[in-house]
C-alpha cells in the first residue's frame, strides 16, 4: 500500500491589477464613476485601511508616481495613470468587478489587466518558512506604509527547462567544498526586506504564462524610510554574483500607493 498525501497547489486567493490609462476627454467622466458603490456591492473592503492582515475580499487604489521599463515591454502598465487592485478567495468577485468597472468607464478606456492567483508555497519547508515568513510584515494602514511597488516578472525559457529540484537550489546559498559561501541565493539576497517590506505574489494560472502575461506579479509595500531597502533587494536579486540567477531581470513599473481616495482616477 502507498500513501496518497500529495499537497494541493490549488489557488488560495485570486487577484488582479487593473491598469488604467484614461484619454484626456474621458477623465472627468472617469473621475465621477461610482467605483466605491460597485466595490461595496461586491463586499470589497479597502485594504489600505486594514491592519494585521488582508481582508477576505479587498480593493485598493493606486496612482502612478514613476514607472521604469524593464526587459519586457508593457505599454499598458508603463503608461497607466492609476491602478485598481482587487483580490478575493474566489475568482467570481474579481470577474464581476472587472465587468462592472468596464460598464462604468465605457468603451473609451481599455484596461491592461495583470491577473493571477496566490498558491501554497512551493519551495518552502518549515525552517525556510520560519526564516522568510514567520516575521513577515502584515498589512498596515496606508498612512503607515504609503509606498507600493508592482514588479511583474517572467522567467526565461532556460529557467522553465530546469526541473523543479534544480530551480529549488537557486533559492538557497551555494557553498564550495571548503564551506565558503559562493552565492547568497534568493533567500539571503532578499533577507534585508523581511522585517520591513510587505510582499505577496500572484502566479499566472498556467506556467510558463501565456503570451502577453507575466509568470509572476509581485507586490510590495513599505514605509518612507524603507524605500531604499526595496531598491537594494531588487538590485541584489538581479545580481548574479549574489543570487546566482537574475530572478528579477524582467521587472517593470514601480508605483506608489494612492492613499485614502474614494476616486480611482484624478490628476495629481
Amino acid at each position: 500500500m502507498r500513501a496518497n498525501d500529495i499537497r494541493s497547489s490549488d489557488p488560495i486567493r485570486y487577484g488582479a491589477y487593473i491598469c488604467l490609462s484614461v484619454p484626456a476627454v474621458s477623465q472627468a467622466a472617469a473621475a465621477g464613476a461610482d467605483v466605491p458603490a460597485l466595490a461595496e456591492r461586491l463586499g470589497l473592503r479597502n485594504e489600505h485601511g486594514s491592519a494585521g492582515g488582508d481582508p477576505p475580499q479587498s480593493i485598493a487604489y493606486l496612482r502612478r508616481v514613476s514607472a521604469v521599463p524593464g526587459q519586457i515591454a508593457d505599454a499598458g502598465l508603463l503608461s497607466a495613470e492609476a491602478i485598481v487592485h482587487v483580490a478575493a478567495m474566489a475568482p467570481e468577485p474579481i470577474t464581476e468587478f472587472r465587468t462592472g468597472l468596464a460598464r462604468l468607464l465605457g468603451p473609451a478606456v481599455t484596461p491592461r489587466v495583470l491577473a493571477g492567483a496566490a498558491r501554497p508555497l512551493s519551495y518552502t519547508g518549515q525552517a525556510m518558512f520560519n526564516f522568510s515568513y514567520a516575521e513577515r510584515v502584515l498589512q498596515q494602514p496606508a498612512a503607515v506604509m504609503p509606498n507600493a511597488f508592482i514588479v511583474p516578472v517572467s522567467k526565461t525559457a532556460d529557467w522553465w527547462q530546469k526541473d523543479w529540484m534544480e530551480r529549488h537550489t537557486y533559492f538557497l546559498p551555494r557553498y564550495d567544498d571548503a564551506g565558503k559561501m559562493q552565492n547568497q541565493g534568493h533567500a539571503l539576497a532578499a533577507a534585508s526586506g523581511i522585517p520591513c517590506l510587505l510582499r505577496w505574489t500572484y502566479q499566472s494560472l498556467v506556467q510558463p504564462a501565456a503570451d502577453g502575461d507575466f509568470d509572476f506579479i509581485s507586490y510590495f509595500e513599505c514605509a518612507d524610510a524603507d524605500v531604499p531597502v526595496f531598491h537594494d533587494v531588487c538590485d541584489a536579486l538581479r545580481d548574479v554574483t549574489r543570487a546566482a540567477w537574475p530572478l528579477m531581470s524582467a521587472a517593470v513599473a514601480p508605483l506608489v500607493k494612492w492613499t485614502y481616495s474614494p476616486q480611482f482616477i484624478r490628476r495629481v
Side-chain angles (χ1 to χ4, degrees):
M1 298 177 66
R2 297 177 183 270
N4 186 22
D5 293 337
I6 295 174
R7 293 181 179 179
S8 173
S9 62
D10 291 344
I12 55 177
R13 190 172 177 86
Y14 296 83
Y17 296 96
I18 304 171
C19 309
L20 301 168
S21 299
V22 182
V25 296
S26 303
Q27 287 185 357
D34 198 357
V35 179
L38 172 63
E40 183 176 359
R41 179 173 64 81
L42 295 174
L44 303 174
R45 288 177 49 201
N46 190 336
E47 65 190 39
H48 292 169
S50 300
D54 303 323
Q57 297 187 166
S58 65
I59 188 167
Y61 306 96
L62 303 96
R63 64 175 175 85
R64 184 182 66 185
V65 170
S66 64
V68 180
Q71 295 178 349
I72 299 175
D74 195 301
L77 175 58
L78 201 63
S79 64
E81 298 159 307
I83 289 180
V84 182
H85 172 232
V86 288
M89 307 301 288
E92 289 78 13
I94 298 170
T95 301
E96 290 184 45
F97 180 85
R98 290 176 57 181
T99 301
L101 181 61
R103 188 180 304 114
L104 289 171
L105 294 177
V109 181
T110 302
R112 166 68 165 122
V113 179
L114 306 178
R119 299 180 184 275
L121 298 171
S122 298
Y123 298 123
T124 302
Q126 180 174 329
M128 182 56 72
F129 179 89
N130 290 340
F131 174 81
S132 298
Y133 294 97
E135 301 297 325
R136 68 190 183 280
V137 177
L138 299 178
Q139 182 73 58
Q140 302 293 314
V144 178
M145 296 195 301
N147 305 287
F149 301 88
I150 297 174
V151 186
V153 175
S154 283
K155 302 295 182 67
T156 65
D158 288 343
W159 173 266
W160 292 114
Q161 288 172 3
K162 300 176 184 295
D163 66 39
W164 71 267
M165 287 190 179
E166 183 180 359
R167 293 200 298 266
H168 189 191
T169 65
Y170 289 96
F171 290 86
L172 299 173
R174 294 188 173 200
Y175 300 86
D176 62 19
D177 291 342
K180 181 179 179 180
M181 185 183 296
Q182 296 178 304
N183 297 100
Q184 291 180 306
H186 182 286
L188 290 183
S192 62
I194 293 173
C196 62
L197 301 179
L198 177 146
R199 65 206 191 275
W200 64 74
T201 297
Y202 293 131
Q203 303 176 23
S204 59
L205 294 179
V206 295
Q207 290 189 326
D211 290 344
D213 294 333
F214 290 97
D215 293 327
F216 304 93
I217 307 166
S218 292
Y219 176 86
F220 304 86
E221 293 180 7
C222 65
D224 290 340
D226 297 315
V227 170
V229 178
F230 167 78
H231 292 294
D232 289 345
V233 168
C234 288
D235 290 343
L237 293 176
R238 294 188 182 104
D239 184 348
V240 295
T241 66
R242 296 182 64 182
W245 187 273
L247 291 172
M248 298 181 73
S249 61
V252 183
L255 300 133
V256 176
K257 184 182 297 179
W258 186 358
T259 61
Y260 303 124
S261 176
Q263 305 289 334
F264 69 92
I265 181 69
R266 181 183 294 163
R267 288 284 191 184
V268 293

